[in-house]
Amino acid sequence: HFLEDFLGDAFFGSPEMVKIRHLFERAAKGLVVSGATKKCLAEKMEKMLELEGFDKIFLLLEMLHILSKSRDLTELSSPAFQYPVASSDRVRVNRMYEYILGNYKSAIRLEEAAILLNMSTSTYCRYFKKRTGKTFSNLVNELRVGHACRLLMEGELTVTEICYECGFNNFSYFQRQFKKYTKTTPLKYKHKFFNRT
């Protein structure tokens, strides 16, 4: 396991590493590797078990380079799974996100979220939009759709079961929201994923 800055703060900041930096940004949403890239990386990962020291680091960089150029990558979740925590009022923002991340699979209530920050619902809505660039309901739906994407790729539940597992209580609304954020239907998304692996 390696941290992003394991070679120093400046290494991945160099112009030569721009594609790998972009890969790290995409990886924050989770990535599925498929096709020829998957086969190639599997072989290199097995080889890595036999290596030590510099050779292991060199092979890791080679693998990152391959991933950064690959077209065989599919993002697992919606952008909502990445959230900013570097604001000046980090504690409040983190508490806000913790509540949503802990409750979006069930009947989440705006009033309860506002109470956690000692705000009225209208003040909370303004604060939320200013900090996230999204409305409360939009972010909740993005998270639910992102979770649905993961469940669809696991292939253990039906689309209807996934709808309710993700906190949607209306199937047609789930279908509309899923298409809004992924540009496809849940069933087509599932078929596309399994056809690529």
Side-chain angles (χ1 to χ4, degrees):
H1 297 154
F2 298 90
L3 296 175
E4 188 177 330
D5 60 353
F6 76 101
L7 290 173
D9 293 335
F11 185 80
F12 288 108
S14 65
E16 293 79 9
M17 296 293 153
V18 67
K19 286 187 177 179
I20 292 179
R21 285 200 309 275
H22 180 62
L23 172 69
F24 289 159
E25 290 167 9
R26 291 185 67 196
K29 301 175 197 174
L31 295 172
V32 173
V33 184
S34 59
T37 306
K38 177 180 177 180
K39 184 178 179 183
C40 172
L41 289 181
E43 292 171 358
K44 291 186 181 298
M45 288 176 79
E46 286 184 12
K47 183 180 177 183
M48 185 180 268
L49 295 172
E50 304 166 5
L51 301 177
E52 292 182 5
F54 177 79
D55 291 331
K56 184 176 278 193
I57 300 294
F58 184 78
L59 185 57
L60 172 67
L61 291 173
E62 183 183 349
M63 290 166 64
L64 289 174
H65 178 64
I66 290 168
L67 283 168
S68 72
K69 298 190 305 178
S70 175
R71 293 173 181 259
D72 297 329
L73 304 179
T74 304
E75 292 175 0
L76 279 171
S77 64
S78 69
F81 273 92
Q82 309 176 101
Y83 59 88
V85 292
S87 62
S88 56
D89 49 351
R90 182 180 299 182
V91 173
R92 267 185 160 181
V93 172
N94 282 347
R95 190 179 301 161
M96 185 173 73
Y97 275 106
E98 283 168 10
Y99 173 77
I100 295 169
L101 290 169
N103 295 282
Y104 72 90
K105 297 179 190 177
S106 57
I108 192 166
R109 297 183 65 236
L110 173 61
E111 294 80 7
E112 288 179 8
I115 288 169
L116 281 177
L117 297 188
N118 296 317
M119 295 179 178
S120 67
T121 53
S122 58
T123 303
Y124 181 85
C125 285
R126 287 193 301 272
Y127 178 83
F128 190 92
K129 182 77 183 283
K130 185 177 180 182
R131 293 297 181 275
T132 68
K134 306 173 191 293
T135 66
F136 182 81
S137 61
N138 281 348
L139 183 64
V140 171
N141 284 333
E142 281 188 28
L143 285 166
R144 286 174 170 164
V145 168
H147 185 56
C149 290
R150 294 180 184 205
L151 293 177
L152 285 165
M153 287 183 284
E154 289 172 6
E156 296 175 5
L157 300 175
T158 66
V159 173
T160 303
E161 288 171 331
I162 287 171
C163 163
Y164 296 104
E165 176 68 21
C166 294
F168 290 100
N169 56 14
N170 180 296
F171 187 73
S172 60
Y173 182 70
F174 165 63
Q175 294 264 55
R176 288 197 305 273
Q177 291 301 309
F178 193 93
K179 192 163 188 178
K180 174 182 175 182
Y181 293 109
T182 66
K183 310 302 183 205
T184 189
T185 66
L187 202 54
K188 286 180 180 176
Y189 184 93
K190 183 176 183 177
H191 289 159
K192 180 181 176 183
F193 171 76
F194 282 105
N195 288 337
R196 290 189 62 159
T197 55

